[in-house]
């Protein structure tokens, strides 16, 4: 019996070691940029290695999105906005949130010609063709704005050429692209969702539930090391930018350090909870309920997706 017990112990230890060494492929929801700085830092500074988890970061392409990669087992973890995750779970894709980075909503509407977005009923408003606009649609319907949604891919050209009355923008991305293009943005022609009762969290890290159930320890190690990467980036922003620019250069992304510095500063600001004034890294149950309420009111969901479901409980 002693020999059998010893053999079983060695078998268990071998299995645990193999599990720890299994490579986790992480795919952010977009191309290389400072929005994902904490993960780049965790890899470059060896935080993942120290945590005993092997990580490979692979970005999506225009023909192979992060969710497509996740559903086809080409990656084991990805980043999603909370509203996206809820919608996917409602549609039958079981997910688990293993780390929440965003504590605030980054979405804004910028109007052309100095007009107020909330007063532009029937306006032609640009919205991303790849998604992310669930909250904006909820707001438009609730405020009876009757916006005409015009799909755009990834830049601000339609707005700059005058083809749009307004456009959705992220405060860490398109907002700065517009400023760099010479567009004047004031308190009058800017609408921040977070300031008008729509402060729903955005980016978090998600895994498919079946993978999570079989790799809980790996998920925990990955989340802890990723959090460490973000905390290090907040303390060393310029060094973090050096790492970001390595990824940007490698993937031939059309950007510059000034843009990425602005993005990183805003991303880090959005990670600080308004109430606690701390970088909490947690999904807030009240924001989950708020997102569900808005999406149910707009018939985007068949049923409520609970906080417990999102946390894999």
């Amino acid at each position: 019996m002693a020999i059998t017990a010893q053999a079983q112990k060695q078998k268990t230890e071998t299995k645990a070691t193999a599990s720890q060494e299994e490579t986790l492929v992480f795919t952010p929801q977009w191309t290389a940029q400072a929005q994902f700085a904490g993960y780049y830092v965790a890899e470059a500074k060896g935080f993942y290695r120290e945590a005993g988890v092997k990580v490979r970061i692979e970005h999506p392409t225009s023909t192979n999105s992060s969710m497509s990669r996740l559903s086809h087992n080409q990656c084991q973890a990805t980043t999603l906005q909370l509203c996206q995750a809820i919608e996917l779970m409602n549609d039958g894709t079981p997910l688990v949130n293993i780390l929440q980075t965003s504590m605030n909503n980054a979405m804004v509407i910028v109007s052309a010609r100095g007009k107020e977005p909330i007063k532009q009923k029937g306006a032609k408003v640009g919205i991303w063709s790849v998604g992310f606009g669930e909250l904006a649609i909820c707001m438009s319907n609730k405020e009876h704005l009757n916006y005409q949604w015009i799909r755009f891919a990834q830049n601000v050209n339609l707005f700059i050429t005058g083809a749009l009355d307004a456009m959705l923008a992220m405060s860490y991305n398109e907002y700065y692209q517009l400023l760099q293009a010479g567009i004047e943005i004031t308190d009058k022609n800017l609408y921040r969702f977070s300031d008008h009762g729509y402060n729903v969290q955005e980016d978090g890290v998600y895994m498919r539930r079946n993978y999570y159930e079989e790799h809980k320890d790996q998920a925990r190690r990955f989340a802890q090391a990723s959090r460490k990467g973000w905390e290090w980036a907040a303390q060393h922003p310029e060094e973090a930018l050096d790492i970001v620019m390595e990824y940007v250069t490698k993937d031939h992304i059309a950007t510059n350090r000034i843009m990425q510095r602005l993005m990183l500063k805003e991303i880090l600001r959005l990670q600080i909870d308004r109430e606690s004034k701390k970088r909490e890294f947690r999904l807030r149950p009240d924001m989950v309920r708020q997102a569900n309420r808005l999406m149910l009111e707009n018939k985007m969901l068949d049923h409520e997706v609970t906080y417990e479901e999102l946390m894999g409980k």
Side-chain angles (χ1 to χ4, degrees), residues 9-41:
K9 181 180 178 182
Q10 290 178 346
K11 182 178 179 180
T12 301
E13 290 175 348
T14 301
K15 183 178 180 181
T17 302
S19 176
Q20 289 176 19
E21 292 179 351
E22 184 177 350
T23 299
L24 185 154
V25 179
F26 168 61
T27 298
Q29 78 252 47
W30 200 240
T31 53
Q33 56 186 23
Q35 181 182 358
F36 314 116
Y39 312 109
Y40 304 153
V41 166

mmCIF file of all heavy atoms in Angstrom, residues 9-41:
data_model
loop_
_atom_site.group_PDB
_atom_site.id
_atom_site.type_symbol
_atom_site.label_atom_id
_atom_site.label_comp_id
_atom_site.label_asym_id
_atom_site.label_seq_id
_atom_site.Cartn_x
_atom_site.Cartn_y
_atom_site.Cartn_z
ATOM 1 N N LYS A 9 1.293 9.718 -5.316
ATOM 2 C CA LYS A 9 1.769 11.052 -4.987
ATOM 3 C C LYS A 9 2.636 11.612 -6.106
ATOM 4 O O LYS A 9 2.490 12.767 -6.515
ATOM 5 C CB LYS A 9 2.562 11.016 -3.681
ATOM 6 C CG LYS A 9 3.078 12.390 -3.245
ATOM 7 C CD LYS A 9 3.861 12.280 -1.952
ATOM 8 C CE LYS A 9 4.414 13.659 -1.530
ATOM 9 N NZ LYS A 9 5.216 13.566 -0.294
ATOM 10 N N GLN A 10 3.547 10.768 -6.631
ATOM 11 C CA GLN A 10 4.422 11.212 -7.717
ATOM 12 C C GLN A 10 3.611 11.538 -8.972
ATOM 13 O O GLN A 10 3.890 12.496 -9.679
ATOM 14 C CB GLN A 10 5.449 10.118 -8.027
ATOM 15 C CG GLN A 10 6.487 9.943 -6.928
ATOM 16 C CD GLN A 10 7.462 8.816 -7.241
ATOM 17 O OE1 GLN A 10 7.224 8.000 -8.129
ATOM 18 N NE2 GLN A 10 8.558 8.767 -6.497
ATOM 19 N N LYS A 11 2.583 10.702 -9.224
ATOM 20 C CA LYS A 11 1.731 10.932 -10.395
ATOM 21 C C LYS A 11 1.001 12.271 -10.281
ATOM 22 O O LYS A 11 0.902 13.040 -11.236
ATOM 23 C CB LYS A 11 0.719 9.793 -10.516
ATOM 24 C CG LYS A 11 -0.192 9.901 -11.741
ATOM 25 C CD LYS A 11 -1.140 8.707 -11.816
ATOM 26 C CE LYS A 11 -2.062 8.834 -13.028
ATOM 27 N NZ LYS A 11 -3.001 7.673 -13.100
ATOM 28 N N THR A 12 0.490 12.568 -9.058
ATOM 29 C CA THR A 12 -0.212 13.824 -8.814
ATOM 30 C C THR A 12 0.714 15.016 -8.985
ATOM 31 O O THR A 12 0.357 16.028 -9.586
ATOM 32 C CB THR A 12 -0.802 13.837 -7.394
ATOM 33 O OG1 THR A 12 -1.689 12.730 -7.264
ATOM 34 C CG2 THR A 12 -1.568 15.130 -7.135
ATOM 35 N N GLU A 13 1.952 14.905 -8.430
ATOM 36 C CA GLU A 13 2.917 15.995 -8.539
ATOM 37 C C GLU A 13 3.307 16.238 -9.989
ATOM 38 O O GLU A 13 3.448 17.381 -10.425
ATOM 39 C CB GLU A 13 4.154 15.679 -7.699
ATOM 40 C CG GLU A 13 3.889 15.736 -6.207
ATOM 41 C CD GLU A 13 5.098 15.302 -5.387
ATOM 42 O OE1 GLU A 13 6.045 14.748 -5.964
ATOM 43 O OE2 GLU A 13 5.082 15.527 -4.168
ATOM 44 N N THR A 14 3.478 15.162 -10.758
ATOM 45 C CA THR A 14 3.837 15.282 -12.175
ATOM 46 C C THR A 14 2.728 15.984 -12.954
ATOM 47 O O THR A 14 2.970 16.862 -13.783
ATOM 48 C CB THR A 14 4.096 13.889 -12.787
ATOM 49 O OG1 THR A 14 5.153 13.272 -12.070
ATOM 50 C CG2 THR A 14 4.472 14.007 -14.255
ATOM 51 N N LYS A 15 1.465 15.589 -12.636
ATOM 52 C CA LYS A 15 0.318 16.192 -13.308
ATOM 53 C C LYS A 15 0.227 17.676 -12.988
ATOM 54 O O LYS A 15 -0.043 18.505 -13.853
ATOM 55 C CB LYS A 15 -0.962 15.474 -12.875
ATOM 56 C CG LYS A 15 -2.215 15.981 -13.592
ATOM 57 C CD LYS A 15 -3.434 15.189 -13.149
ATOM 58 C CE LYS A 15 -4.677 15.705 -13.871
ATOM 59 N NZ LYS A 15 -5.884 14.948 -13.433
ATOM 60 N N ALA A 16 0.483 18.035 -11.724
ATOM 61 C CA ALA A 16 0.428 19.437 -11.300
ATOM 62 C C ALA A 16 1.491 20.248 -12.004
ATOM 63 O O ALA A 16 1.251 21.371 -12.466
ATOM 64 C CB ALA A 16 0.606 19.536 -9.789
ATOM 65 N N THR A 17 2.710 19.670 -12.114
ATOM 66 C CA THR A 17 3.807 20.365 -12.796
ATOM 67 C C THR A 17 3.485 20.576 -14.260
ATOM 68 O O THR A 17 3.697 21.653 -14.825
ATOM 69 C CB THR A 17 5.110 19.562 -12.672
ATOM 70 O OG1 THR A 17 5.404 19.388 -11.294
ATOM 71 C CG2 THR A 17 6.261 20.285 -13.353
ATOM 72 N N ALA A 18 2.918 19.552 -14.892
ATOM 73 C CA ALA A 18 2.563 19.657 -16.311
ATOM 74 C C ALA A 18 1.506 20.729 -16.514
ATOM 75 O O ALA A 18 1.552 21.503 -17.469
ATOM 76 C CB ALA A 18 2.041 18.317 -16.824
ATOM 77 N N SER A 19 0.549 20.799 -15.563
ATOM 78 C CA SER A 19 -0.504 21.796 -15.662
ATOM 79 C C SER A 19 0.062 23.205 -15.570
ATOM 80 O O SER A 19 -0.335 24.107 -16.292
ATOM 81 C CB SER A 19 -1.529 21.566 -14.552
ATOM 82 O OG SER A 19 -2.510 22.569 -14.580
ATOM 83 N N GLN A 20 1.026 23.390 -14.660
ATOM 84 C CA GLN A 20 1.642 24.697 -14.481
ATOM 85 C C GLN A 20 2.428 25.101 -15.722
ATOM 86 O O GLN A 20 2.529 26.276 -16.055
ATOM 87 C CB GLN A 20 2.556 24.677 -13.256
ATOM 88 C CG GLN A 20 1.804 24.608 -11.929
ATOM 89 C CD GLN A 20 2.743 24.499 -10.751
ATOM 90 O OE1 GLN A 20 3.928 24.810 -10.865
ATOM 91 N NE2 GLN A 20 2.238 24.042 -9.623
ATOM 92 N N GLU A 21 3.002 24.118 -16.414
ATOM 93 C CA GLU A 21 3.840 24.432 -17.566
ATOM 94 C C GLU A 21 3.042 24.551 -18.858
ATOM 95 O O GLU A 21 3.579 24.945 -19.880
ATOM 96 C CB GLU A 21 4.914 23.336 -17.712
ATOM 97 C CG GLU A 21 5.943 23.344 -16.581
ATOM 98 C CD GLU A 21 6.982 22.250 -16.733
ATOM 99 O OE1 GLU A 21 6.804 21.385 -17.619
ATOM 100 O OE2 GLU A 21 7.963 22.265 -15.979
ATOM 101 N N GLU A 22 1.757 24.200 -18.819
ATOM 102 C CA GLU A 22 0.931 24.314 -20.003
ATOM 103 C C GLU A 22 0.826 25.774 -20.428
ATOM 104 O O GLU A 22 0.525 26.649 -19.621
ATOM 105 C CB GLU A 22 -0.466 23.750 -19.711
ATOM 106 C CG GLU A 22 -1.378 23.743 -20.917
ATOM 107 C CD GLU A 22 -2.724 23.105 -20.603
ATOM 108 O OE1 GLU A 22 -2.856 22.506 -19.512
ATOM 109 O OE2 GLU A 22 -3.630 23.216 -21.431
ATOM 110 N N THR A 23 1.097 26.050 -21.694
ATOM 111 C CA THR A 23 1.102 27.428 -22.175
ATOM 112 C C THR A 23 -0.315 27.987 -22.259
ATOM 113 O O THR A 23 -1.215 27.365 -22.821
ATOM 114 C CB THR A 23 1.761 27.513 -23.560
ATOM 115 O OG1 THR A 23 3.111 27.068 -23.463
ATOM 116 C CG2 THR A 23 1.756 28.946 -24.086
ATOM 117 N N LEU A 24 -0.491 29.165 -21.707
ATOM 118 C CA LEU A 24 -1.754 29.882 -21.798
ATOM 119 C C LEU A 24 -1.596 30.949 -22.871
ATOM 120 O O LEU A 24 -0.743 31.831 -22.755
ATOM 121 C CB LEU A 24 -2.092 30.515 -20.448
ATOM 122 C CG LEU A 24 -3.453 31.228 -20.316
ATOM 123 C CD1 LEU A 24 -3.908 31.210 -18.858
ATOM 124 C CD2 LEU A 24 -3.407 32.675 -20.818
ATOM 125 N N VAL A 25 -2.390 30.863 -23.912
ATOM 126 C CA VAL A 25 -2.368 31.876 -24.974
ATOM 127 C C VAL A 25 -3.387 32.955 -24.620
ATOM 128 O O VAL A 25 -4.568 32.668 -24.435
ATOM 129 C CB VAL A 25 -2.681 31.262 -26.348
ATOM 130 C CG1 VAL A 25 -2.663 32.352 -27.428
ATOM 131 C CG2 VAL A 25 -1.698 30.155 -26.687
ATOM 132 N N PHE A 26 -2.916 34.173 -24.512
ATOM 133 C CA PHE A 26 -3.762 35.317 -24.145
ATOM 134 C C PHE A 26 -3.895 36.235 -25.350
ATOM 135 O O PHE A 26 -2.902 36.688 -25.911
ATOM 136 C CB PHE A 26 -3.138 36.060 -22.964
ATOM 137 C CG PHE A 26 -3.768 37.400 -22.686
ATOM 138 C CD1 PHE A 26 -5.105 37.492 -22.343
ATOM 139 C CD2 PHE A 26 -3.026 38.572 -22.761
ATOM 140 C CE1 PHE A 26 -5.695 38.729 -22.073
ATOM 141 C CE2 PHE A 26 -3.595 39.810 -22.494
ATOM 142 C CZ PHE A 26 -4.946 39.882 -22.156
ATOM 143 N N THR A 27 -5.136 36.522 -25.743
ATOM 144 C CA THR A 27 -5.414 37.397 -26.882
ATOM 145 C C THR A 27 -6.190 38.625 -26.417
ATOM 146 O O THR A 27 -7.366 38.510 -26.063
ATOM 147 C CB THR A 27 -6.221 36.660 -27.968
ATOM 148 O OG1 THR A 27 -5.459 35.566 -28.475
ATOM 149 C CG2 THR A 27 -6.564 37.597 -29.126
ATOM 150 N N PRO A 28 -5.562 39.800 -26.377
ATOM 151 C CA PRO A 28 -6.312 41.041 -26.078
ATOM 152 C C PRO A 28 -7.345 41.267 -27.174
ATOM 153 O O PRO A 28 -7.246 40.704 -28.267
ATOM 154 C CB PRO A 28 -5.221 42.119 -26.102
ATOM 155 C CG PRO A 28 -3.929 41.382 -25.977
ATOM 156 C CD PRO A 28 -4.147 40.060 -26.626
ATOM 157 N N GLN A 29 -8.342 42.121 -26.915
ATOM 158 C CA GLN A 29 -9.416 42.268 -27.895
ATOM 159 C C GLN A 29 -9.057 43.165 -29.069
ATOM 160 O O GLN A 29 -9.857 43.325 -29.974
ATOM 161 C CB GLN A 29 -10.708 42.766 -27.229
ATOM 162 C CG GLN A 29 -10.760 44.260 -26.921
ATOM 163 C CD GLN A 29 -10.646 44.552 -25.436
ATOM 164 O OE1 GLN A 29 -9.777 44.003 -24.770
ATOM 165 N NE2 GLN A 29 -11.510 45.400 -24.913
ATOM 166 N N TRP A 30 -7.850 43.731 -29.071
ATOM 167 C CA TRP A 30 -7.486 44.633 -30.163
ATOM 168 C C TRP A 30 -5.998 44.511 -30.445
ATOM 169 O O TRP A 30 -5.290 43.747 -29.798
ATOM 170 C CB TRP A 30 -7.881 46.073 -29.803
ATOM 171 C CG TRP A 30 -8.002 46.999 -30.979
ATOM 172 C CD1 TRP A 30 -7.290 48.143 -31.184
ATOM 173 C CD2 TRP A 30 -8.850 46.860 -32.122
ATOM 174 N NE1 TRP A 30 -7.652 48.734 -32.368
ATOM 175 C CE2 TRP A 30 -8.615 47.964 -32.970
ATOM 176 C CE3 TRP A 30 -9.793 45.899 -32.513
ATOM 177 C CZ2 TRP A 30 -9.280 48.134 -34.184
ATOM 178 C CZ3 TRP A 30 -10.446 46.080 -33.722
ATOM 179 C CH2 TRP A 30 -10.196 47.186 -34.540
ATOM 180 N N THR A 31 -5.523 45.285 -31.405
ATOM 181 C CA THR A 31 -4.113 45.240 -31.773
ATOM 182 C C THR A 31 -3.241 45.852 -30.676
ATOM 183 O O THR A 31 -3.748 46.461 -29.741
ATOM 184 C CB THR A 31 -3.885 45.989 -33.101
ATOM 185 O OG1 THR A 31 -4.445 47.301 -33.002
ATOM 186 C CG2 THR A 31 -4.546 45.243 -34.264
ATOM 187 N N ALA A 32 -1.936 45.714 -30.801
ATOM 188 C CA ALA A 32 -0.994 46.146 -29.762
ATOM 189 C C ALA A 32 -1.127 47.638 -29.475
ATOM 190 O O ALA A 32 -1.046 48.469 -30.379
ATOM 191 C CB ALA A 32 0.431 45.817 -30.194
ATOM 192 N N GLN A 33 -1.325 47.965 -28.207
ATOM 193 C CA GLN A 33 -1.411 49.356 -27.764
ATOM 194 C C GLN A 33 -1.371 49.391 -26.246
ATOM 195 O O GLN A 33 -1.470 48.359 -25.575
ATOM 196 C CB GLN A 33 -2.670 50.036 -28.284
ATOM 197 C CG GLN A 33 -3.964 49.354 -27.929
ATOM 198 C CD GLN A 33 -5.166 50.013 -28.602
ATOM 199 O OE1 GLN A 33 -5.058 50.688 -29.624
ATOM 200 N NE2 GLN A 33 -6.331 49.834 -28.028
ATOM 201 N N ALA A 34 -1.267 50.596 -25.698
ATOM 202 C CA ALA A 34 -1.102 50.772 -24.251
ATOM 203 C C ALA A 34 -2.321 50.343 -23.450
ATOM 204 O O ALA A 34 -2.238 50.199 -22.226
ATOM 205 C CB ALA A 34 -0.771 52.228 -23.946
ATOM 206 N N GLN A 35 -3.436 50.113 -24.107
ATOM 207 C CA GLN A 35 -4.617 49.575 -23.439
ATOM 208 C C GLN A 35 -4.299 48.258 -22.732
ATOM 209 O O GLN A 35 -4.963 47.890 -21.766
ATOM 210 C CB GLN A 35 -5.739 49.369 -24.469
ATOM 211 C CG GLN A 35 -7.044 48.838 -23.888
ATOM 212 C CD GLN A 35 -8.095 48.617 -24.967
ATOM 213 O OE1 GLN A 35 -7.861 48.892 -26.156
ATOM 214 N NE2 GLN A 35 -9.254 48.125 -24.580
ATOM 215 N N PHE A 36 -3.258 47.563 -23.210
ATOM 216 C CA PHE A 36 -2.895 46.245 -22.676
ATOM 217 C C PHE A 36 -1.512 46.247 -22.034
ATOM 218 O O PHE A 36 -0.867 45.204 -21.906
ATOM 219 C CB PHE A 36 -2.969 45.209 -23.805
ATOM 220 C CG PHE A 36 -4.222 45.323 -24.634
ATOM 221 C CD1 PHE A 36 -4.153 45.670 -25.987
ATOM 222 C CD2 PHE A 36 -5.473 45.128 -24.067
ATOM 223 C CE1 PHE A 36 -5.307 45.801 -26.748
ATOM 224 C CE2 PHE A 36 -6.637 45.262 -24.821
ATOM 225 C CZ PHE A 36 -6.558 45.596 -26.167
ATOM 226 N N ALA A 37 -1.055 47.400 -21.616
ATOM 227 C CA ALA A 37 0.307 47.553 -21.107
ATOM 228 C C ALA A 37 0.641 46.599 -19.964
ATOM 229 O O ALA A 37 1.744 46.055 -19.893
ATOM 230 C CB ALA A 37 0.538 49.001 -20.661
ATOM 231 N N GLY A 38 -0.300 46.400 -19.042
ATOM 232 C CA GLY A 38 -0.019 45.568 -17.875
ATOM 233 C C GLY A 38 0.353 44.146 -18.229
ATOM 234 O O GLY A 38 1.213 43.534 -17.570
ATOM 235 N N TYR A 39 -0.256 43.612 -19.278
ATOM 236 C CA TYR A 39 0.042 42.239 -19.703
ATOM 237 C C TYR A 39 1.410 42.176 -20.366
ATOM 238 O O TYR A 39 2.170 41.218 -20.160
ATOM 239 C CB TYR A 39 -1.052 41.742 -20.646
ATOM 240 C CG TYR A 39 -2.439 42.003 -20.109
ATOM 241 C CD1 TYR A 39 -3.260 42.971 -20.690
ATOM 242 C CD2 TYR A 39 -2.910 41.335 -18.975
ATOM 243 C CE1 TYR A 39 -4.516 43.248 -20.189
ATOM 244 C CE2 TYR A 39 -4.167 41.602 -18.461
ATOM 245 C CZ TYR A 39 -4.969 42.567 -19.062
ATOM 246 O OH TYR A 39 -6.208 42.847 -18.552
ATOM 247 N N TYR A 40 1.720 43.204 -21.163
ATOM 248 C CA TYR A 40 3.048 43.252 -21.784
ATOM 249 C C TYR A 40 4.130 43.339 -20.717
ATOM 250 O O TYR A 40 5.170 42.680 -20.810
ATOM 251 C CB TYR A 40 3.164 44.467 -22.713
ATOM 252 C CG TYR A 40 2.131 44.573 -23.806
ATOM 253 C CD1 TYR A 40 1.777 45.815 -24.332
ATOM 254 C CD2 TYR A 40 1.498 43.445 -24.327
ATOM 255 C CE1 TYR A 40 0.833 45.939 -25.343
ATOM 256 C CE2 TYR A 40 0.556 43.553 -25.335
ATOM 257 C CZ TYR A 40 0.220 44.809 -25.838
ATOM 258 O OH TYR A 40 -0.714 44.930 -26.837
ATOM 259 N N VAL A 41 3.880 44.149 -19.697
ATOM 260 C CA VAL A 41 4.842 44.308 -18.606
ATOM 261 C C VAL A 41 5.027 42.991 -17.861
ATOM 262 O O VAL A 41 6.157 42.583 -17.560
ATOM 263 C CB VAL A 41 4.373 45.411 -17.625
ATOM 264 C CG1 VAL A 41 5.163 45.348 -16.324
ATOM 265 C CG2 VAL A 41 4.522 46.784 -18.264
#
